[in-house]
Amino acid sequence: MKKLFTIFSGVLFLYSYSYGLNSNNRIKNNQIQISVSNTPNSLWEYEILSSGKILNFEKPQIQIDGKLTTLTLINLTKVENFLQLRNSVKEYRFKASIKEIPDISFTLIFRIPEDNPIIKFCYELSSNKKHLLTKTAGVDDLIYFTSTLNQFSDFKEVRFSEFNEMVHSFCLSEREIVLNDLADNPKFMGPMITASNNEYSALLAYEHGSQVPDNFLEFEISANKKVMLKAVKGNYTNGYDLTNGYQTIWFETGAVKGNEDALASKYREFMLKYMTENLESRKPYIFYNTWNFQERNKHWYKKPYLADMTLERMLKEIDAAHEIGIEIFVVDAGWFEKTGDWTPSLKRFPDGLKQVKSKLSEYGMKLGLWFNPTVAAVSSNMYKTFGNCVKTMNGDKGKPRSVWETEESYGMCLVSQYRDAFADKLIQLNKELGVTYFKWDAIGQYECNDPHHYHGDSTNTPQERLENYAFEIGRSMSYVVDKLSKACPEAIVDFDITEGGRTVGLSFLSSGKYFLINNGPYYFNYNIPFDQQNDNWNIFFYPGPARGWICRFPLTYDKWIPTVLFLTHYLPDDPYENQSIAVGSLILGQNGIWGDLPAISKDGIAFLNKTLTLYKQVRDDMTSATMIRDGDVGGSPEVYEKINPVTGKGAIVIFSSHAGKYNYVSKTKVNSEHWETTGSNVNVGMDGKARVDVEFKKAEAKIIFFGAKE
């Protein structure tokens, strides 16, 4: 079996350490301390420095050589030299042997931010002798950790991957856990469990992804409030040889003095600053993508998707995008000659995208391109070289299919050696074409059970290989992104999760970001018949307030995960009312525009440019601020407040579906300098809070910026 588990930093560091446990078993930042105690009842403890409150973590258990083994550690030593990561995080390592099997080496790894209470940790196992991870009756036998939370009274399951069919999107779902009303040892998918009392709040989480309820891990809570995180399926393959090395996924924990909102605020900050080294993905750039106009060609004008995928059209769109204030210009499907090789189509771009890149550079804009990482054209060099990495199901690689009106392609397994070749291709495109943004699409979770890749071999059943592929696909995606970002620190990768059945959770956010919504629900989501000849299943494909309702619905993620990590595109078409809704929605963090830019009126261009110019002055403040919403999506009024409580800079956006007068008083003190759209009146009181009075003639948005100058 090929070696799969790797240390994702991709760098070999030499560590020195002394034998025997001493005072160096403690590591800390300015808020918390970790003590690796290695006692019979505890492997390590997490402590809030200001209060001494402790979370205890017991030793993991895993089946090795047919026996469930509690990893009792001997000769535990701290590796003295920590690794300084690019995101102001320090990585520490503790190494030991396992008492029951001394020739197996165990490593406990912590990643601790310089100024945040949320930490990451994982485990590694390795051996110079053959020892196997095993299962009983094909079931994963692994408890990653156990933590007793009996000091807390209130518990909640936080889901990030629940697919809401009403809006055809993944959405945040928070569910109270009432232990007394449940059977013994209830189980929860998470990936986060929170616990609170009148004084403190804490969380446990894991970095993996799948659609609820298809869980690969689960939390189990006992009557005495002992929380275990257990493997469910696919976490490893039966017979995996530890001479290849094994690394778990990453886990997260943290605690604060305060309520759940205080905890969420710190976690949100962790997501922005400390979760990943790929910090470019956290910046609030404004994106344009060509796809919506390609859809209009197909469904409105009855042309091919690629009818206007030409140099002439792209240069016109770039000019219009510059006038609006776009910063990253994304050429969607069809820019390439063939998948796999990913070279520009010389038929559509005779100069190989050179003029496109030149004009973007002239305007200070970045180039982005669309990719399906799991396909390679039949005649491509990639397919010819890595034909052994084609995805197969029960030995069948299926028939090649055309990819968006380009050459037929085979599916490629990203959980194989092909992943390095794909990463190298992206690095090449960055060096040769200056591509810095990479949009990934169409990566499903259950797509390969081939016995010759990195997700099992012929000794494992096809179902086990499939489940391990589904478990590992997210890790392979992060592997590619991290390799790319290490070579090209300015790179951004987002993963399109506009359909269900994809690896959604905290895993990919440790490396990149998400493309959240394409067009939202289809007719069949609502059992509405449509003309099959039309071939356009999209309901919310058109400008107007309804698309905004759909796209703003998942903004509740912002409590835990900043909306800047959920790219969503709004339609900037005339008239003004639609443009106000589009920009008012965009500045709440999703930051995307698509449509027919050259067709927008001069007045429309001027409005979009003005509001986005103002937004750019305060967007960093807005990105750092937790969203406050007053009113329901689609209601009147529907109010959003994103104001930095330290600087008072940010914005209030008010939507209404009906004519009328409304008022709103900010929850946060604001910067006294402000700008507002027509029909708005703003007064800042002695208490520093803003009173906003607005009048709507029809469905539109009112936008008020604080701390921005025209």
Side-chain angles (χ1 to χ4, degrees):
M1 186 183 296
K2 303 288 193 305
K3 182 174 181 179
L4 171 59
F5 300 97
T6 55
I7 301 172
F8 291 118
S9 61
V11 182
L12 177 63
F13 286 83
L14 298 178
Y15 294 90
S16 63
Y17 56 87
S18 57
Y19 291 92
L21 188 62
N22 53 42
S23 61
N24 286 334
N25 70 332
R26 295 183 177 89
I27 51 180
K28 64 182 181 179
N29 63 16
N30 62 0
Q31 298 182 33
I32 60 97
Q33 176 174 272
I34 303 299
S35 300
V36 183
S37 53
N38 194 32
T39 64
N41 296 319
S42 174
L43 175 57
W44 60 278
E45 295 89 32
Y46 172 106
E47 178 182 357
I48 302 174
L49 288 175
S50 63
S51 63
K53 293 294 181 180
I54 289 176
L55 297 173
N56 174 67
F57 290 82
E58 298 178 17
K59 300 175 179 67
Q61 300 177 48
I62 187 168
Q63 189 178 130
I64 301 175
D65 298 335
K67 180 181 179 182
L68 181 62
T69 304
T70 298
L71 301 186
T72 305
L73 306 181
I74 57 175
N75 301 322
L76 178 66
T77 57
K78 176 187 172 186
V79 176
E80 293 298 331
N81 296 333
F82 63 80
L83 173 61
Q84 181 68 61
L85 305 181
R86 300 192 305 268
N87 55 345
S88 299
V89 170
K90 293 177 180 177
E91 180 178 294
Y92 299 89
R93 289 170 172 258
F94 292 81
K95 299 179 78 70
S97 297
I98 298 175
K99 181 179 180 181
E100 296 81 359
I101 316 174
D103 52 13
I104 295 181
S105 174
F106 174 86
T107 304
L108 172 59
I109 307 172
F110 294 100
R111 288 186 174 177
I112 302 181
E114 64 178 8
D115 188 27
N116 188 280
I118 310 300
I119 70 163
K120 296 174 58 161
F121 64 98
C122 74
Y123 313 128
E124 290 181 352
L125 295 172
S126 62
S127 179
N128 291 324
K129 295 183 179 179
K130 187 172 183 177
H131 291 284
L132 306 179
L133 300 185
T134 51
K135 305 182 181 187
T136 300
V139 177
D140 292 11
D141 204 355
L142 169 57
I143 300 173
Y144 288 109
F145 62 77
T146 302
S147 183
T148 302
L149 302 178
N150 54 15
Q151 69 269 44
F152 297 103
S153 55
D154 302 315
F155 295 83
K156 184 180 289 185
E157 177 192 20
V158 183
R159 299 176 176 179
F160 299 119
S161 61
E162 189 167 316
F163 197 78
N164 186 316
E165 288 291 346
M166 182 178 72
V167 291
H168 197 80
S169 175
F170 289 95
C171 295
L172 174 69
S173 175
E174 299 178 296
R175 296 166 182 255
E176 299 290 339
I177 298 173
V178 183
L179 295 178
N180 292 336
D181 292 346
L182 297 172
D184 292 340
N185 297 0
K187 300 173 177 60
F188 304 92
M189 177 174 173
M192 181 186 288
I193 294 287
T194 65
S196 301
N197 55 30
N198 292 330
E199 197 174 356
Y200 295 92
S201 298
L203 66 83
L204 302 170
Y206 60 86
E207 293 184 4
H208 193 255
S210 61
Q211 181 180 326
V212 173
D214 183 30
N215 56 320
F216 290 79
L217 299 90
E218 65 188 11
F219 293 99
E220 181 176 306
I221 305 180
S222 65
N224 61 356
K225 300 180 182 179
K226 210 171 237 195
V227 179
M228 291 186 291
L229 180 62
K230 304 174 69 173
V232 174
K233 63 180 180 183
N235 288 231
Y236 62 95
T237 52
N238 187 43
Y240 182 84
D241 191 340
L242 290 179
T243 59
N244 291 319
Y246 170 78
Q247 184 186 61
T248 67
I249 61 173
W250 287 93
F251 313 106
E252 302 168 356
T253 191
V256 299
K257 187 172 183 178
N259 60 17
E260 185 189 88
D261 286 340
L263 178 68
S265 178
K266 286 297 183 182
Y267 188 80
R268 194 179 180 285
E269 179 186 66
F270 163 78
M271 292 287 297
L272 269 179
K273 297 181 178 180
Y274 304 116
M275 187 188 198
T276 180
E277 291 189 84
N278 308 331
L279 294 176
E280 198 74 6
S281 66
R282 269 53 181 168
K283 295 181 180 179
Y285 292 114
I286 300 172
F287 295 81
Y288 172 73
N289 184 295
T290 65
W291 179 249
N292 179 261
F293 185 72
Q294 294 175 243
E295 281 191 304
R296 292 182 183 189
N297 262 337
K298 178 71 172 179
H299 300 306
W300 289 6
Y301 310 131
K302 308 307 177 185
K303 298 179 181 179
Y305 284 110
L306 305 187
D308 285 288
M309 182 57 68
T310 64
L311 175 60
E312 180 183 9
R313 172 70 191 189
M314 289 304 107
L315 294 179
K316 286 181 179 179
E317 291 198 22
I318 291 170
D319 285 335
H322 170 63
E323 291 182 29
I324 289 172
I326 299 298
E327 295 165 299
I328 298 181
F329 186 96
V330 184
V331 187
D332 208 274
W335 64 269
F336 48 89
E337 180 64 28
K338 60 185 72 172
T339 64
D341 290 348
W342 301 111
T343 56
S345 167
L346 297 182
K347 176 182 178 181
R348 293 182 280 277
F349 300 96
D351 64 351
L353 288 174
K354 290 180 181 177
Q355 289 184 69
V356 167
K357 182 61 176 73
S358 177
K359 179 155 286 226
L360 290 173
S361 297
E362 175 187 338
Y363 288 145
M365 298 162 67
K366 299 174 182 288
L367 173 61
L369 298 176
W370 176 94
F371 297 86
N372 179 342
T374 61
V375 290
V378 173
S379 68
S380 68
N381 291 323
M382 184 71 80
Y383 173 71
K384 293 174 182 177
T385 304
F386 294 96
N388 61 321
C389 298
V390 170
K391 288 186 291 188
T392 68
M393 290 292 288
N394 302 320
D396 182 7
K397 67 179 182 179
K399 295 180 180 180
R401 60 179 180 83
S402 177
V403 177
W404 298 115
E405 301 172 352
T406 67
E407 182 183 326
E408 291 183 337
S409 302
Y410 280 109
M412 302 295 290
C413 178
L414 206 61
V415 189
S416 72
Q417 66 182 120
Y418 159 75
R419 68 183 183 183
D420 277 295
F422 180 66
D424 292 341
K425 178 60 66 174
L426 301 187
I427 294 169
Q428 179 185 353
L429 286 165
N430 172 266
K431 303 303 182 186
E432 294 180 356
L433 289 179
V435 185
T436 58
Y437 172 83
F438 303 82
K439 178 184 183 292
W440 289 6
D441 196 1
I443 307 175
Q445 195 151 22
Y446 289 91
E447 295 191 338
C448 185
N449 64 8
D450 193 284
H452 303 101
H453 300 161
Y454 292 171
H455 49 98
D457 58 27
S458 58
T459 66
N460 305 114
T461 67
Q463 182 64 24
E464 185 182 9
R465 295 195 298 266
L466 182 64
E467 290 175 352
N468 189 239
Y469 172 90
F471 181 85
E472 288 295 337
I473 184 65
R475 294 222 281 180
S476 279
M477 290 163 65
S478 285
Y479 174 89
V480 173
V481 178
D482 292 343
K483 182 175 180 178
L484 166 65
S485 297
K486 183 188 171 189
C488 317
E490 72 277 24
I492 300 171
V493 178
D494 80 29
F495 169 38
D496 190 323
I497 56 170
T498 61
E499 305 293 343
R502 300 190 178 181
T503 177
V504 177
L506 298 176
S507 176
F508 190 75
L509 291 178
S510 68
S511 300
K513 57 196 286 288
Y514 287 133
F515 182 110
L516 183 61
I517 293 178
N518 189 317
N519 292 314
Y522 304 122
Y523 285 102
F524 54 72
N525 285 94
Y526 299 146
N527 296 318
I528 299 173
F530 60 94
D531 182 1
Q532 296 282 354
Q533 302 300 316
N534 183 23
D535 194 34
N536 183 9
W537 296 354
N538 299 309
I539 300 176
F540 301 103
F541 178 62
Y542 306 92
R547 180 179 170 85
W549 303 334
I550 295 298
C551 293
R552 291 195 302 274
F553 191 89
L555 288 175
T556 49
Y557 271 123
D558 195 71
K559 175 181 177 180
W560 297 97
I561 304 174
T563 50
V564 73
L565 298 181
F566 294 101
L567 176 65
T568 302
H569 292 77
Y570 291 89
L571 297 169
D573 304 83
D574 296 309
Y576 165 81
E577 290 80 13
N578 179 72
Q579 291 163 343
S580 71
I581 292 170
V583 176
S585 302
L586 176 155
I587 66 172
L588 297 175
Q590 294 167 313
N591 284 5
I593 282 178
W594 62 11
D596 188 355
L597 298 190
I600 299 173
S601 68
K602 290 184 178 180
D603 287 345
I605 291 284
F607 170 72
L608 294 169
N609 177 272
K610 178 187 288 187
T611 49
L612 291 180
T613 298
L614 291 162
Y615 169 57
K616 290 174 184 177
Q617 296 178 42
V618 298
R619 61 180 168 183
D620 289 334
D621 295 275
M622 294 180 68
T623 301
S624 68
T626 300
M627 181 179 297
I628 297 171
R629 191 185 80 195
D630 186 82
D632 294 330
V633 175
S636 297
E638 173 192 348
V639 186
Y640 295 86
E641 178 179 326
K642 277 184 78 68
I643 298 171
N644 186 318
V646 176
T647 66
K649 295 181 178 181
I652 292 174
V653 184
I654 304 176
F655 302 90
S656 178
S657 300
H658 305 284
K661 296 181 179 180
Y662 309 98
N663 62 70
Y664 176 78
V665 178
S666 68
K667 308 297 189 295
T668 312
K669 293 181 179 180
V670 301
N671 187 292
S672 60
E673 181 144 27
H674 54 83
W675 176 94
E676 63 272 357
T677 50
T678 57
S680 309
N681 184 54
V682 181
N683 290 289
V684 179
M686 296 294 291
D687 60 358
K689 296 183 179 180
R691 178 184 174 91
V692 181
D693 295 286
V694 294
E695 181 175 5
F696 289 85
K697 301 295 186 182
K698 56 181 68 176
E700 59 178 295
K702 306 296 185 183
I703 304 168
I704 303 96
F705 289 110
F706 297 94
K709 298 180 181 180
E710 189 172 348

